[in-house]
Amino acid sequence: QAAQAQRDKVAAMIADRYPALTSELATLIEEIMKSNAMVDRVNSDLPEGSPPLNRPEGHARGFHDHGSYDLPISIRTFRITQSMLPGIEAESRTVWPPVRDYEYHVLERGKVFSQKQVRTMFNRS
């Protein structure tokens, strides 16, 4: 009975809180992606001797976040933008990343993706 009560409590939390949390996280990720694109454009045309800007996530979390995503620090650091947020419905698509029906087959249940695969599939800059 304790397990059932705990399950019911957590299920109610999911039903109550998850839609708002996913909406907030999806909005945050969209803003990160927009800022990433702006920072990357500025970094592609810096005056000589000017240091590159870090993208917002690296700046906030304290890691170098500019240049290629294949730098050693980038490969070791999983980013918020590489998250996958499922919808609340049982047969839902993802809230993030936005996935069109013809792309859905790449998001096989239980599949583990490398960071390079994640970058390739979800790079929206």
Side-chain angles (χ1 to χ4, degrees):
Q1 288 187 12
Q4 185 175 353
Q6 178 64 14
R7 184 224 33 212
D8 292 349
K9 175 184 167 189
V10 174
M13 288 172 62
I14 292 168
D16 182 52
R17 297 176 56 197
Y18 189 73
L21 290 171
T22 56
S23 176
E24 189 173 343
L25 284 170
T27 299
L28 174 64
I29 292 169
E30 289 288 345
E31 291 301 315
I32 292 169
M33 296 302 285
K34 287 178 196 174
S35 183
N36 284 352
M38 290 176 68
V39 168
D40 289 347
R41 280 192 298 276
V42 167
N43 283 344
S44 71
D45 192 28
L46 286 172
E48 190 171 325
S50 295
L53 293 173
N54 277 315
R55 293 177 190 100
E57 191 168 357
H59 186 69
R61 294 176 55 202
F63 62 89
H64 295 291
D65 195 15
H66 55 79
S68 169
Y69 282 101
D70 294 321
L71 296 171
I73 186 81
S74 295
I75 293 169
R76 288 193 317 262
T77 305
F78 197 79
R79 288 169 169 75
I80 296 167
T81 54
Q82 293 169 313
S83 300
M84 185 182 302
L85 302 173
I88 191 73
E89 303 84 18
E91 297 297 323
S92 68
R93 300 293 195 248
T94 59
V95 174
W96 177 265
V99 179
R100 294 179 291 274
D101 285 339
Y102 69 87
E103 294 175 317
Y104 193 70
H105 70 279
V106 301
L107 302 176
E108 298 169 20
R109 188 179 301 251
K111 184 168 183 177
V112 176
F113 298 106
S114 70
Q115 291 230 0
K116 186 172 183 179
Q117 288 171 308
V118 171
R119 282 194 310 274
T120 301
M121 289 187 307
F122 303 154
N123 185 2
R124 294 169 41 95
S125 57

